[in-house]
Amino acid sequence: MSLVESARVVADELGFEYREPVLVNFSLQAAPGSITILAGSNGAGKSTALSLLAGEFTPRSGFVRVCGGDPRRPNTRQELFFLSEIARDLHWLSAVEAVQLHRDLYGLAKGDGVSAVQALERFGLTAVKDRRLKGFSKGMQRRVEISAALACDRPVWLFDEPESGLDPEGRVVLQQVLLEARARGRTLVVSTHLGGAALHGADQLVVLRGGRTVFRGGLSEAIQATSCLELNLSECSAELHAQLIQTANAAGARCDIATLSAAGLRRLMQGATENP
């Protein structure tokens, strides 16, 4: 079976333009149980790419398939959850009502999966679950939106800058939720302009600049291309830290505890290293 046949999200040579091209020849294959990071600076084309994958836009060229179907069709849309960068205006609802609304739209029964209350509890929103979203901060609204994704738990998760507005604690919970979703076999495509923890656990990194793909590969390839890595360690002595760095360097930075640093991601986004 080819990669395209086994992939749950497939984009081939996608193109899109407003007055001028904003996405050129964008291709992607994302398999079940994987996290793909779509990185790039503002205006690189990340949001457009995700909107095409979600069926929000119609490509000017190329094609996209999600779970074998056209994401613009209602039956295929039921297979994906699209978290856009701009929050949906549901200010008249409470937090629990907003999450439950998403579950209802997907036709989920009361006993299916994670309940609205359980999802909000995961993101520390139990105490405010009955408050209207109108009074929520940007970060709290983001937590509600991600709670809805967890409660709906579609086969495909498309997240556009999910860390926007989140505090450090919220980012930790988000990363845990994404990794758990991958372990359940979900397919995740997540856009970001951040490095470090945002990349932890990614199976594939695609970097856009000016609407074009300038890098595609795994994190180990990105580390080798930029010579920039970051070690995520806890309760580690200075001696062990130094030893691990020495070992990683000797191994060409191919180390499970290493991830691409923010500096390395910036180099890729700026086109300092191109590996299309």
Side-chain angles (χ1 to χ4, degrees):
M1 181 180 293
S2 68
L3 178 60
V4 172
E5 290 173 336
S6 63
R8 189 175 276 159
V9 176
V10 177
D12 185 63
E13 299 293 317
L14 292 184
F16 192 83
E17 62 183 35
Y18 295 105
R19 292 184 177 179
E20 58 185 32
V22 294
L23 196 66
V24 180
N25 297 333
F26 175 77
S27 296
L28 177 73
Q29 293 86 41
S34 69
I35 297 177
T36 296
I37 295 294
L38 188 60
S41 304
N42 293 337
K46 306 186 304 296
S47 295
T48 299
L50 283 172
S51 293
L52 290 168
L53 295 179
E56 299 278 322
F57 298 161
T58 299
R60 301 290 188 264
S61 60
F63 74 88
V64 57
R65 292 291 181 269
V66 174
C67 297
D70 186 338
R72 292 170 297 178
R73 297 184 178 277
N75 61 332
T76 303
R77 290 294 293 271
Q78 287 289 307
E79 300 300 307
L80 66 89
F81 189 102
F82 179 40
L83 177 72
S84 63
E85 184 178 6
I86 300 175
R88 292 179 173 85
D89 187 8
L90 300 174
H91 66 274
W92 66 92
L93 297 177
S94 69
V96 70
E97 288 171 342
V99 175
Q100 186 58 48
L101 172 63
H102 284 86
R103 285 178 53 85
D104 292 343
L105 290 173
Y106 283 104
L108 296 174
K110 184 176 180 179
D112 292 342
V114 178
S115 71
V117 172
Q118 290 171 329
L120 290 168
E121 180 182 9
R122 184 69 189 275
F123 278 89
L125 296 173
T126 300
V128 296
K129 64 181 177 65
D130 296 316
R131 281 177 47 188
R132 301 296 171 188
L133 297 183
K134 183 176 181 179
F136 278 25
S137 67
K138 179 180 179 180
M140 290 177 65
Q141 289 189 42
R142 203 57 165 170
R143 287 181 181 229
V144 173
E145 291 182 300
I146 302 170
S147 297
L150 174 61
C152 296
D153 196 19
R154 299 293 84 197
V156 174
W157 298 28
L158 305 175
F159 278 16
D160 193 3
E161 300 282 1
E163 293 183 297
S164 177
L166 291 182
D167 57 17
E169 180 183 359
R171 291 178 180 178
V172 170
V173 177
L174 169 64
Q175 189 60 48
Q176 293 171 345
V177 167
L178 294 181
L179 291 174
E180 291 166 4
R182 181 182 68 173
R184 291 195 301 276
R186 305 302 181 245
T187 301
L188 302 100
V189 183
V190 182
S191 78
T192 184
H193 61 273
L194 303 172
L199 298 175
H200 180 67
D203 301 284
Q204 179 180 201
L205 172 64
V206 178
V207 180
L208 294 174
R209 181 164 56 89
R212 298 179 181 275
T213 301
V214 296
F215 180 89
R216 184 195 311 278
L219 292 186
S220 62
E221 295 171 277
I223 292 170
Q224 292 173 11
T226 62
S227 299
C228 295
L229 76 159
E230 179 177 293
L231 298 177
N232 297 307
L233 306 172
S234 60
E235 300 181 5
C236 178
S237 67
E239 293 78 12
L240 179 56
H241 186 272
Q243 185 179 9
L244 288 170
I245 291 177
Q246 182 179 5
T247 301
N249 288 336
R254 292 183 294 272
C255 182
D256 289 340
I257 60 172
T259 189
L260 182 67
S261 69
L265 184 59
R266 284 196 300 271
R267 288 192 62 188
L268 291 174
M269 291 191 302
Q270 292 166 1
T273 300
E274 296 190 7
N275 179 27

